[in-house]
Amino acid sequence: GRRRREAAEEEVEETPQEKKLRLAKQYLEELRQLGDTPRPFSLLLAPWRRQGAVLEYSRAWGRVLGCSAHILLLLQVQPPDPARIHVLRGHQLPVTCLVISPDDRFIFSASKDGSLIKCKWEVDSGKRLCVVPGGKKGTEERHMGHASHVLCMAISSDGKYLATGDRNKLIMIWDAATCKRLHIFTGHRDAVSGLSFRKGTHQLYSASHDRCVKVWDVAENAYVETLFGHQDVITGLDSLSRECCVTAGGRDGTVRLWKIPEESQLVFCGHQGSIDCIQLINEEHMVSGADDGSLALWGLTKKKPLALARQAHGEQDAQGLQQPYWISAVAALRNSDLLATGSHSGSVKLWKCGEGFRKLEHLLDIPLVGFVNSLKFSAAGDFLVAGIGQEHRLGRWWRIKEAKNSICIIPLKQKTTASSSESPGSS
């Protein structure tokens, strides 16, 4: 009876998060003692040898353990055969943004020409299924498409809604299946530069050059609230399943984590130049790139980068001066250790997050000519998509004449092994 009372007292003193952490440690210790993967994992690998099956299993265990432990994928990526890179042509001006449908079957892309090739590039065939033409400024109600540069887009995790933002301060909501425009959100006072749906919901976050973040309910066509804090234009935004988002603050030199319910924000500093792109890797880590050529790996519990790769794409000779190549796009394979970065250096670089997300290890280069304005991994991790342009998505500082305004589908050859690793700083 005494032992039961003591156990009950200990259970009362243990918080839910502490219990999750204890169970995660117990599970990992059992794995170490067995020296092998658990039986359910072996059963999963038998019928499906695809990378996607392993990734989904990893995500499932992350949910079971409450993100106390991340089962990382050690992806040994081999250089792709250039002949197998599929190039999709159709945009007349530089591609600025793209997304992949949740089932990895379609790609949505947009460009500076104002047209939205919206319903869809088919991944398997490369066929263009729909084009939504643009019009002149002020004619958005008569024309289905945008009347200015489309800078950002996002797709809901159920594949139902597609959102696009442009330089004319507008956010358009589309039915992804039928290509029909459903609604236009107004409210930003400058160009809309970042969009992201909260995973598992129809809540939409938007960022703008007006320095604020807005929250919308797409299912109800409703505005929710506005968040203030950045001191310069916001250049990128991302979110996952938690009710929060992260933003890149351009030349104010900060990355910010916005906690929506608490109406608070955390400020991260580490880059020396304008922070132009950002993406969450998992619920605890993110990656960002800047025009000083640096690539930063962050933990959401630390205000300084866990790892920083300076001049990640090398240097260029600009008017007799040696300057680093700008990092214009970053992508992360969700809940894994694989990253991709783009610039105008002539290649996309793949990276691995090493030593418990405290190190950035360069894996390989994939040759691509032009400005890499957008990068996205497929959900299964078996291909990477790059949006290429002759110019940077935000301006016309340089022009690479030999580049083709296009979308490149890059197949990834991988040997996959699963590694259970407790995430540092996890709660």
Side-chain angles (χ1 to χ4, degrees):
R2 185 173 64 255
R3 284 195 296 270
R4 283 198 296 271
R5 283 195 301 274
E6 290 174 353
E9 289 173 1
E10 289 177 3
E11 189 173 340
V12 169
E13 292 174 0
E14 187 179 46
T15 66
Q17 290 291 53
E18 289 171 342
K19 184 176 180 179
K20 288 178 181 178
L21 184 58
R22 176 174 58 79
L23 292 175
K25 288 181 177 179
Q26 180 181 335
Y27 171 74
L28 295 174
E29 181 59 34
E30 290 173 359
L31 283 185
R32 280 191 287 268
Q33 291 174 0
L34 290 172
D36 199 359
T37 52
R39 180 170 177 77
F41 188 64
S42 302
L43 290 175
L44 179 72
L45 283 182
W48 300 290
R49 296 282 179 180
R50 293 180 64 244
Q51 161 68 19
V54 185
L55 186 59
E56 285 305 316
Y57 183 83
S58 167
R59 289 169 176 160
W61 267 110
R63 291 191 293 269
V64 170
L65 299 178
C67 294
S68 296
H70 298 290
I71 300 177
L72 303 181
L73 297 176
L74 304 182
L75 301 174
Q76 301 172 11
V77 183
Q78 301 174 8
D81 180 359
R84 296 189 61 214
I85 296 177
H86 198 179
V87 180
L88 309 180
R89 298 290 306 278
H91 289 291
Q92 301 302 311
L93 293 180
V95 176
T96 54
C97 54
L98 58 85
V99 293
I100 306 172
S101 63
D103 59 7
D104 288 347
R105 294 178 58 200
F106 306 106
I107 297 169
F108 302 83
S109 64
S111 76
K112 287 186 177 183
D113 55 22
S115 70
L116 170 66
I117 295 183
K118 192 197 79 56
C119 187
K120 306 157 187 171
W121 296 94
E122 192 171 45
V123 172
D124 289 340
S125 67
K127 184 179 179 182
R128 188 175 65 189
L129 301 180
C130 182
V131 177
V132 180
K136 294 183 179 180
K137 185 175 180 180
T139 65
E140 289 88 355
E141 289 297 337
R142 296 198 302 273
H143 295 84
M144 284 294 290
H146 290 272
S148 65
H149 299 178
V150 181
L151 297 181
C152 54
M153 60 170 48
I155 192 167
S156 58
S157 54
D158 61 1
K160 183 176 181 180
Y161 295 112
L162 181 74
T164 54
D166 67 14
R167 281 199 177 276
N168 282 353
K169 318 170 193 176
L170 300 179
I171 300 170
M172 294 190 182
I173 307 299
W174 310 80
D175 185 317
T178 64
C179 310
K180 181 181 178 182
R181 192 178 69 197
L182 303 176
H183 191 69
I184 298 179
F185 285 127
T186 60
H188 279 296
R189 293 172 295 159
D190 206 335
V192 181
S193 54
L195 291 168
S196 180
F197 279 95
R198 181 186 171 197
K199 187 177 179 181
T201 74
H202 294 145
Q203 187 176 62
L204 177 68
Y205 304 117
S206 65
S208 168
H209 288 183
D210 65 10
R211 308 180 185 185
C212 72
V213 174
K214 290 185 182 290
V215 185
W216 314 85
D217 186 333
V218 171
E220 300 295 331
N221 291 337
Y223 159 79
V224 179
E225 61 179 312
T226 302
L227 311 171
F228 299 95
H230 276 294
Q231 302 302 306
D232 192 36
V233 300
I234 303 175
T235 54
L237 176 147
D238 196 24
S239 66
L240 282 175
S241 57
R242 292 180 181 174
E243 198 170 354
C244 62
C245 62
V246 295
T247 53
R251 296 206 172 276
D252 75 2
T254 67
V255 167
R256 296 184 186 233
L257 169 67
W258 305 83
K259 298 182 178 181
I260 311 299
E262 294 90 342
E263 297 183 352
S264 65
Q265 57 187 285
L266 299 178
V267 181
F268 304 82
C269 299
H271 291 286
Q272 299 300 313
S274 175
I275 308 172
D276 288 348
C277 45
I278 190 167
Q279 188 168 11
L280 284 160
I281 303 170
N282 52 46
E283 298 285 7
E284 304 291 342
H285 300 90
M286 59 184 171
V287 62
S288 62
D291 70 359
D292 63 358
S294 61
L295 176 68
L297 180 60
W298 309 82
L300 299 188
T301 59
K302 304 288 184 182
K303 295 299 182 71
K304 297 294 183 182
L306 300 177
L308 186 68
R310 301 186 185 278
Q311 297 182 7
H313 279 254
E315 288 186 316
Q316 62 177 326
D317 187 357
Q319 298 178 347
L321 297 175
Q322 290 297 114
Q323 296 182 352
Y325 283 103
W326 296 6
I327 306 296
S328 54
V330 295
L333 180 55
R334 302 288 196 189
N335 298 312
S336 82
D337 55 0
L338 183 62
L339 307 176
T341 59
S343 181
H344 60 287
S345 61
S347 67
V348 167
K349 291 181 180 288
L350 296 186
W351 306 78
K352 176 188 170 184
C353 304
E355 297 181 4
F357 288 94
R358 294 184 180 275
K359 187 177 180 181
L360 284 166
E361 301 174 13
H362 177 238
L363 294 176
L364 57 90
D365 291 359
I366 302 169
L368 283 179
V369 178
F371 282 86
V372 181
N373 289 324
S374 186
L375 284 170
K376 289 290 185 297
F377 282 102
S378 64
D382 50 1
F383 64 90
L384 173 69
V385 181
I388 307 296
Q390 293 182 330
E391 302 168 350
H392 191 283
R393 69 185 183 97
L394 296 177
R396 305 191 68 182
W397 301 284
W398 298 284
R399 190 167 186 267
I400 302 175
K401 294 181 179 180
E402 59 271 24
K404 306 295 183 183
N405 298 320
S406 59
I407 298 155
C408 296
I409 304 175
I410 305 162
L412 299 177
K413 296 179 181 179
Q414 299 167 352
K415 295 178 181 178
T416 310
T417 58
S419 169
S420 297
S421 173
E422 187 180 338
S423 174
S426 298
S427 61

